[in-house]
Amino acid sequence: MEMESEMESQKRNVISTDDLIADRTGSQGCCGWLLVILSGLFVLLTFPVSIFMCVKIVQEYERAVIFRLGRITDRKAKGPGIFFVLPCTDSFIKVDLRTISFDIPPQEILTKDSVTVSVDGVVYFRVNDPISSVANVTNADYSTRLLAQTTLRNVLGTKNLAEVLSDREGISHSMQSTLDVATDVWGIKVERVEIKDVKLPHQLQRAMAAEAEASREARAKVIAAEGEMNASRALKEASLVISESPSALQLRYLQTLSTIAAEKNSTIIFPVPMDIISHFMKK
């Protein structure tokens, strides 16, 4: 909420482009219009030589913001292609509309659960309103870079370590929306923000590796214990079935004997039923 209120106050404090160019008709004053008329007469008198000073060209990906005696002349930037300026009274600034990408330097950030991590990222943005990018901020590119660094710190400072490691997409969307709102008054459109790498301290990496190994060993022991329990239940049920039929025990003996003989062993152990031994002992 505090960040949103700061953005709203920033919007109110920034001079709007519409205010800069509103009532531009007649805003030059008498002296201004006199200079414009003299400049026009100079163009006519020196024609066609002056045509080289008046005709300007901007590329498809560029726009030109024209200033006449220090004032923005139109609500819309000129270009692409050919446009005309008056010598001596007009000046213009070219603005590149192509998408610009830059790396956010690694930032040492203290997370919500008091863990220090080093995080870097990448930001993609472009100029959406050339007039605002020229009139409302000194250097839109540099300002966006600085704001991206502080936004990365502010957003990650509200997350714990688990969220930083697992919810990178959510953090990226949160940073993008925050940057987009803050740079809207500068005529900047933030297209994409990505978290590149999260570097943890070496001691923390070793502690997390030990914790993960202990967790895997604990799960392995639980799985082995469950397997033994299931095997014991199966053996108990098998013993109950065999105890009901003495011939089933003999068949089990023969099956074990065939299994041993199939392995090409030199010694074969033949189990003798206790009933036969007890019969000879009675005689």
Side-chain angles (χ1 to χ4, degrees), residues 132-151:
S132 297
S133 67
V134 172
N136 292 343
V137 63
T138 304
N139 191 330
D141 187 1
Y142 183 67
S143 300
T144 304
R145 293 172 186 267
L146 294 181
L147 184 61
Q149 297 179 24
T150 57
T151 303

Side-chain angles (χ1 to χ4, degrees), residues 1-11 147 150-156 158 174-175 177-179 181-182:
M1 296 297 293
E2 295 179 357
M3 186 177 298
E4 292 180 358
S5 62
E6 291 178 0
M7 293 177 183
E8 292 296 333
S9 63
Q10 184 180 11
K11 286 183 178 180
L147 184 61
T150 57
T151 303
L152 179 64
R153 288 177 174 271
N154 293 336
V155 172
L156 293 183
T158 60
S174 178
M175 284 189 59
S177 60
T178 303
L179 283 173
V181 172

Side-chain angles (χ1 to χ4, degrees), residues 104-128:
I104 302 176
Q107 304 292 313
E108 295 289 338
I109 299 171
L110 186 65
T111 60
K112 189 176 181 180
D113 50 356
S114 301
V115 178
T116 302
V117 295
S118 178
V119 184
D120 58 356
V122 60
V123 178
Y124 300 87
F125 73 95
R126 61 180 174 85
V127 176
N128 190 36

